[in-house]
């Protein structure tokens, strides 16, 4: 039977179309373009785990899009709708993301087809440990070659189980703890990793608002403070981004869109309270002090200054892109805007901070965690006391020279040596700022590049193709 229904593009098609566009702008030869886009390897595993006394089958994937740098890096997602194409698209995004923010990794991604909410903690532990064994035995989990991290549906707990499974399999590997990142701090994790992606989104937005000309061109008023924000998804990324933006930058989170509907409050929602409510009740419905709307997706089109999709891919598409009111869309999730919607938003002058840059905070801090694991020492451990003593000497010298006591708050700031949290946040902030400046510069100087997404891809493709030319494919 034939039909005239348009064929919906997959997530992978959408990513490839955006990359093709960048390749055309750069005039890259076809062979190089194909080498860049190809996904090197995909592993599919199916395995049984005993659930309530009966074997149940699970299927998962780990895709390695590139290994021009090793290890290849990328999260593992637990979701019922996960599939090979999605994992391949996410692995490709990881390649570009790492290149944009100068993290020396190849791109990879994993997924397990499962609804984690349907299983107990101990069942999830058995499933995760078995999945980790499958990956490790086939060379897809290792501190040298392939290092997973959390993504949708996974977190510190799952990463801890994976690291421990790897340790049991390879007890002679002195760097075993670096086989995954995003682990609990007590088990090889780094302080600041859990919040890193949301924190990176905040740093990206702060940097955006430091560029007055760019802000003005998008039709926004200067300053992040007071901006009305709608956020979709209050999970790891969305919760931290919304919490920091509302409590540290005075933004108003006027709507939160979740799985079971949306909450609206023009005066701004208390994100901590909404999150507590979600933990207690499993959704946003019933939260006091806000209007509840059952059709959450419709709220994407409500009036606001900034829209932050932080849940899943393809939520802004050909059918709703015309209705988006935000002047700035911040892609905290991976692939929330389809290729078609991207073109519509561009035409309407809506600025987009692209996913490949915007949510790179996770991999940046994962990189710090991996370095910490290979060095076997916590950041700041060696030099903290030295800096504190030096700070105290500087204060004494100032007081001696001026004959005036230094105010307590200044003393505290100067004397305090940086701990791991400070160093991680500082490294993250610096990386996000530099990468944004690079994107703005490319858009300013290359007249074929009109938007930040193309700027990000041009930067990434230039770096990756250079490395292919240097060392071969
Ligand atoms: P998460 O599982 O912690 O949170 C996802 C949230 O989205 C949950 O609160 C869930 O209830 C909500 N959600 C699910 N379906 C929804 C729907 N239809 N409408 C509204 N809300 C819905 O996942 P996360 O780790 O926060 O990841 C979110 C996005 O960020 C994903 O695209 C992921 O790939 C991307 N990302 C995550 C990280 C990371 O470090 N966790 C890093 C980079 C990118």
């Amino acid at each position: 039977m034939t039909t005239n229904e348009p064929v919906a593009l997959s997530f992978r098609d959408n990513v490839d179309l955006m990359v093709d566009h960048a390749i055309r702008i750069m005039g890259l030869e076809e062979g190089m373009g194909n080498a860049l886009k190809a996904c090197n390897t995909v592993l599919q595993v199916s395995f049984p785990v005993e659930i309530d006394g009966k074997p149940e089958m699970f299927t998962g994937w780990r895709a390695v899009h590139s290994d021009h740098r090793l290890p290849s890096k990328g999260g593992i997602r637990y979701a019922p709708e996960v599939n090979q194409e999605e994992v391949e698209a996410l692995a490709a995004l990881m390649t570009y993301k790492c290149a944009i923010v100068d993290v020396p990794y190849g791109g990879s991604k994993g997924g397990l087809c499962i609804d984690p909410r349907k299983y107990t903690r101990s069942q999830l532990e058995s499933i995760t440990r078995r999945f980790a064994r499958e990956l490790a035995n086939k060379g897809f989990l290792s501190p040298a070659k392939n290092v997973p991290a959390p993504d949708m549906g996974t977190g510190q707990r799952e990463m801890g189980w994976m690291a421990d499974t790897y340790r049991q399999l390879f007890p002679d590997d002195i760097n075993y703890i670096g086989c995954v990142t995003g682990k609990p701090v007590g088990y090889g994790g780094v302080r600041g990793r859990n919040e890193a992606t949301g924190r990176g989104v905040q740093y990206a937005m702060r940097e955006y608002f430091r560029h007055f000309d760019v802000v003005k061109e998008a039709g926004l008023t200067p300053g992040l403070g007071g901006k009305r924000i709608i956020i979709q998804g209050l999970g790891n990324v969305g919760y931290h981004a919304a919490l920091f933006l509302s409590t540290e930058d005075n933004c108003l989170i006027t709507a939160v869109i979740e799985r079971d509907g949306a909450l609206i409050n023009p005066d701004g929602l208390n994100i901590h309270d909404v999150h507590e409510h979600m933990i207690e009740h499993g959704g946003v419905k019933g939260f006091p002090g806000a209007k509840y709307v059952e059709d959450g997706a419709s709220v994407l089109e409500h009036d606001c200054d900034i829209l932050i999709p932080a849940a899943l891919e393809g939520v802004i598409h050909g059918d709703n892109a015309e209705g988006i009111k935000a002047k700035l869309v911040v892609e905290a999730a991976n692939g929330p805007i389809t290729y078609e919607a991207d073109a519509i938003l561009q035409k309407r002058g809506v600025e987009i901070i692209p996913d490949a840059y915007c949510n790179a905070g996770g991999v940046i801090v994962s990189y710090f965690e991996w370095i910490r694991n290979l060095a076997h020492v916590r950041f700041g451990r060696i030099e903290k006391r030295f800096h504190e003593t030096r700070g105290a000497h500087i204060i004494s010298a100032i007081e001696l020279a001026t004959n005036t006591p230094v105010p307590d708050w200044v003393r505290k700031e100067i004397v305090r040596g940086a701990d791991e949290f400070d160093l991680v946040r500082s490294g993250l902030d610096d990386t996000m700022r530099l990468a944004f400046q690079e994107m703005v510069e490319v858009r300013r100087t290359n007249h074929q590049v009109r938007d930040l997404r193309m700027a990000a891809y041009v930067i990434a493709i230039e770096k990756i193709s250079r490395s292919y030319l240097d060392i071969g494919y």
Side-chain angles (χ1 to χ4, degrees), residues 446-466:
N446 183 338
H447 298 301
Q448 283 181 283
V449 175
R450 295 202 191 95
D451 57 293
L452 293 173
R453 189 190 309 284
M454 270 316 118
Y457 278 128
V458 165
I459 292 165
I461 290 169
E462 223 164 68
K463 288 180 188 170
I464 301 161
S465 54
R466 204 181 310 139

Side-chain angles (χ1 to χ4, degrees), residues 278-390:
M278 278 177 63
I279 292 169
E280 201 180 328
H281 302 278
V284 292
K285 195 173 177 180
F287 179 75
K291 185 178 157 202
Y292 171 76
V293 175
E294 194 168 343
D295 179 10
S298 66
V299 178
L300 290 167
E301 297 174 61
H302 280 207
D303 189 34
C304 65
D305 300 308
I306 303 170
L307 175 63
I308 308 183
L312 55 163
E313 56 270 6
V315 292
I316 302 174
H317 41 73
D319 293 336
N320 65 1
E322 287 289 355
I324 299 295
K325 309 278 183 310
K327 293 190 167 67
L328 174 66
V329 182
V330 177
E331 290 188 317
N334 280 313
I337 302 178
T338 65
Y339 184 70
E340 188 188 359
D342 190 75
I344 296 171
L345 293 176
Q346 300 288 342
K347 216 161 140 197
R348 294 186 42 226
V350 176
E351 180 88 281
I352 298 164
I353 303 186
D355 50 2
Y357 158 73
C358 181
N359 65 35
V363 75
I364 294 166
V365 177
S366 277
Y367 173 47
F368 299 158
E369 180 176 330
W370 183 73
I371 293 171
R372 177 203 205 266
N373 292 157
L374 299 196
H376 299 267
V377 65
R378 155 170 59 81
F379 292 122
R381 176 169 178 176
I382 294 171
E383 65 275 38
K384 183 170 189 273
R385 199 65 66 193
F386 173 79
H387 288 307
E388 288 186 353
T389 310
R390 196 163 61 172

Side-chain angles (χ1 to χ4, degrees), residues 53-76:
K54 290 194 201 112
E56 191 175 321
M57 289 303 294
F58 294 90
T59 300
W61 295 267
R62 184 82 182 156
V64 176
H65 175 258
S66 63
D67 49 15
H68 61 295
R69 298 263 191 278
L70 281 175
S72 298
K73 192 85 184 74
I76 288 196

Side-chain angles (χ1 to χ4, degrees), residues 173-453:
D173 185 344
I174 193 171
N175 293 319
Y176 75 88
I177 203 74
C179 73
V180 292
T181 57
K183 301 175 293 288
V185 172
Y187 194 60
V190 73
R191 283 162 190 81
R193 173 60 183 90
N194 197 34
E195 63 166 42
T197 310
R199 182 65 78 185
V201 171
Q202 176 198 31
Y203 288 162
M205 291 170 68
R206 282 184 178 175
E207 184 58 19
Y208 180 85
F209 277 91
R210 285 190 192 103
H211 294 253
F212 302 122
D213 48 337
V214 173
V215 171
K216 200 170 149 203
E217 187 136 348
L220 286 157
T221 54
L224 185 52
K227 290 288 177 294
R228 297 164 307 140
I229 298 178
I230 295 179
I231 191 152
Q232 183 189 41
L234 214 61
N236 177 289
V237 179
Y239 165 66
H240 286 109
L243 183 74
F244 300 147
L245 288 164
S246 58
T247 57
E248 298 173 10
D249 295 299
N250 295 320
C251 294
L252 295 177
I253 310 296
T254 54
V256 165
I257 307 168
E258 254 296 328
R259 220 185 273 268
D260 66 325
L263 297 176
I264 301 170
N265 184 343
D267 297 327
L269 290 152
N270 181 316
I271 294 303
H272 175 265
D273 291 353
V274 175
H275 195 241
E276 291 288 299
H277 180 91
M278 278 177 63
I279 292 169
E280 201 180 328
H281 302 278
V284 292
K285 195 173 177 180
F287 179 75
K291 185 178 157 202
Y292 171 76
V293 175
E294 194 168 343
D295 179 10
S298 66
V299 178
L300 290 167
E301 297 174 61
H302 280 207
D303 189 34
C304 65
D305 300 308
I306 303 170
L307 175 63
I308 308 183
L312 55 163
E313 56 270 6
V315 292
I316 302 174
H317 41 73
D319 293 336
N320 65 1
E322 287 289 355
I324 299 295
K325 309 278 183 310
K327 293 190 167 67
L328 174 66
V329 182
V330 177
E331 290 188 317
N334 280 313
I337 302 178
T338 65
Y339 184 70
E340 188 188 359
D342 190 75
I344 296 171
L345 293 176
Q346 300 288 342
K347 216 161 140 197
R348 294 186 42 226
V350 176
E351 180 88 281
I352 298 164
I353 303 186
D355 50 2
Y357 158 73
C358 181
N359 65 35
V363 75
I364 294 166
V365 177
S366 277
Y367 173 47
F368 299 158
E369 180 176 330
W370 183 73
I371 293 171
R372 177 203 205 266
N373 292 157
L374 299 196
H376 299 267
V377 65
R378 155 170 59 81
F379 292 122
R381 176 169 178 176
I382 294 171
E383 65 275 38
K384 183 170 189 273
R385 199 65 66 193
F386 173 79
H387 288 307
E388 288 186 353
T389 310
R390 196 163 61 172
H393 287 324
I394 292 170
I395 296 283
S396 304
I398 294 170
E399 288 184 335
L400 212 65
T402 60
N403 208 15
T404 319
V406 166
D408 263 0
W409 69 271
V410 179
R411 179 188 303 275
K412 263 191 205 144
E413 280 303 306
I414 294 182
V415 166
R416 196 174 74 86
D419 60 21
E420 190 166 80
F421 241 128
D422 298 318
L423 293 167
V424 163
R425 284 181 180 161
S426 150
L428 173 61
D429 193 14
D430 186 52
T431 311
M432 294 304 289
R433 288 173 79 161
L434 290 178
F436 188 85
Q437 288 160 17
E438 215 179 329
M439 278 158 41
V440 169
E441 187 58 13
V442 165
R443 180 164 69 171
R444 199 180 61 78
T445 52
N446 183 338
H447 298 301
Q448 283 181 283
V449 175
R450 295 202 191 95
D451 57 293
L452 293 173
R453 189 190 309 284

Side-chain angles (χ1 to χ4, degrees), residues 15-63:
V15 173
D16 279 350
L17 281 167
M18 291 180 190
V19 174
D20 280 338
H21 191 155
I23 287 172
R24 269 198 309 279
I25 285 179
M26 296 170 75
L28 220 61
E29 64 151 277
E30 201 187 332
M32 175 64 88
N34 291 339
L36 271 162
K37 285 192 305 177
C39 184
N40 288 7
T41 328
V42 190
L43 170 75
Q44 177 177 330
V45 291
S46 290
F47 53 85
V49 176
E50 194 174 301
I51 304 289
D52 297 330
K54 290 194 201 112
E56 191 175 321
M57 289 303 294
F58 294 90
T59 300
W61 295 267
R62 184 82 182 156

